[in-house]
Structures are given as C-alpha cells and as structure tokens.
Amino acid sequence: LLMSIMKQWYQRRVRGVIGAKIILFKEMHDEQIKIELDLNNITELTPSEEDPEETPPQYLPSFIIDISKPRGKLLFKCNYHMSTEEQYVANVDQYVISEVAFVRPGQADDDAFTTDFGNLDLVLIREFENYLQRRGIDAEFSSALFEMSSALEHSNYVQFLKNVR
C-alpha cells in the first residue's frame, strides 16, 4: 500500500544530523502540491495515568500541505487524530486540519492570516476536505505518510544512537 500511494508523489528525503524531513511533490493541472513533514516538530502524547513509568513515550507528527496556484497558495497545517478508544495509538486513517491560510503571491507564509480550521463554516470545511481528497490527500495517503514518517523516525533514531557512541 505504501509504495502504490507514494508512486504518485515525487519524494525527496532531506536528512541531517539535527533534523529529518519528508517532502513530497505533486503537480496537478496548474497546481504544485507540496507536503512537508518535519520529524523535529512532533507532538509527544501524555503517558498513561495508570502507569506512566511503564508507558513508553509516543509521538505524532504534524505536516503542512502547501497547494500553490498562480493567484496564491493554500496552506493547511495538519496533525494526526487521536482516537478516544485507543488513547495511545494514532488513528492513522484520519489526519486533522488544525489551521488554514491563504498566501498571496509575493507574501511570506508567516505574514498570511491563518485561521483555526474548526472555526470555519461546516460547508467550507467539507469543501476543503473534498478539495484535498480530489488531489489524493485522503485516508490511504494519510496512513502511508504516517507509516513513512514512523520508519524514517526509527531509522534516524538508530543512526543518532550509533553517532553518539
């Protein structure tokens, strides 16, 4: 599944001693779609209250979807959703959009107005979600990206341990 999903995307991994990123590119009509996941910007989950010392730390990555068009670009800041039934296992079939911004041509990403995705009108939320699905950013893609990030994080961690010996 991972390979079939990722074949649609040109991928380039940027690795460094300090950080690790997954950057995926795709062109569709007049759009350039970039997804960037930085393993250094991950969220640590709270350990189990039942036995916090026995629960190993778990992390969830966040990522940015950047869709550039001639008249500007949309930025979606996303992270993985936590299921309430399995508090310490990521529901990798679903990512959550936390913020969205529109960046005018020539404007810096940080200067664009950003709004909380949950504050948008429900019709607009559904339209944005459908917009992303039509571009292949769906549950299967989300699962494949999570799997790829987990493998890269593990690989970088092992390399880190070898380097500090």
Side-chain angles (χ1 to χ4, degrees):
L1 176 67
L2 175 64
M3 292 310 294
S4 65
I5 298 292
M6 291 302 142
K7 281 182 185 177
Q8 300 172 21
W9 297 82
Y10 167 76
Q11 67 178 355
R12 176 179 55 161
R13 292 186 182 172
V14 180
R15 295 180 191 215
V17 175
I18 296 172
K21 291 183 181 182
I22 295 172
I23 301 173
L24 304 173
F25 294 95
K26 182 178 184 178
E27 290 189 12
M28 188 173 185
H29 309 296
D30 66 340
E31 299 175 344
Q32 294 179 345
I33 304 167
K34 177 174 92 171
I35 296 177
E36 187 170 332
L37 185 146
D38 186 345
L39 292 174
N40 289 325
N41 293 325
I42 55 179
T43 303
E44 183 175 3
L45 301 177
T46 309
S48 170
E49 290 181 15
E50 295 170 5
D51 198 354
E53 292 183 15
E54 290 294 319
T55 306
Q58 294 185 349
Y59 304 92
L60 289 179
S62 58
F63 58 97
I64 296 174
I65 302 169
D66 177 328
I67 302 177
S68 298
K69 298 179 171 199
R71 60 182 195 277
K73 65 180 174 179
L74 285 168
L75 294 177
F76 297 92
K77 294 183 181 174
C78 308
N79 51 46
Y80 284 93
H81 176 69
M82 289 306 299
S83 159
T84 55
E85 305 85 54
E86 300 170 326
Q87 188 176 357
Y88 299 101
V89 178
N91 180 357
V92 296
D93 291 334
Q94 183 180 5
Y95 65 91
V96 176
I97 302 169
S98 57
E99 298 176 343
V100 63
F102 179 78
V103 183
R104 295 183 317 273
Q107 182 181 28
D109 292 357
D110 292 340
D111 292 338
F113 173 74
T114 301
T115 187
D116 186 276
F117 194 73
N119 289 339
L120 297 175
D121 178 78
L122 289 178
V123 173
L124 186 54
I125 288 173
R126 290 286 171 235
E127 192 57 40
F128 276 137
E129 290 172 343
N130 291 336
Y131 177 81
L132 293 172
Q133 286 178 355
R134 288 190 302 270
R135 283 145 184 83
I137 304 168
D138 55 13
E140 283 184 315
F141 173 81
S142 175
S143 181
L145 182 62
F146 187 85
E147 185 178 327
M148 181 185 290
S149 71
S150 295
L152 184 59
E153 191 275 334
H154 177 75
S155 170
N156 282 342
Y157 183 70
V158 169
Q159 190 61 45
F160 166 79
L161 293 176
K162 288 178 181 177
N163 289 338
V164 296
R165 269 198 278 171

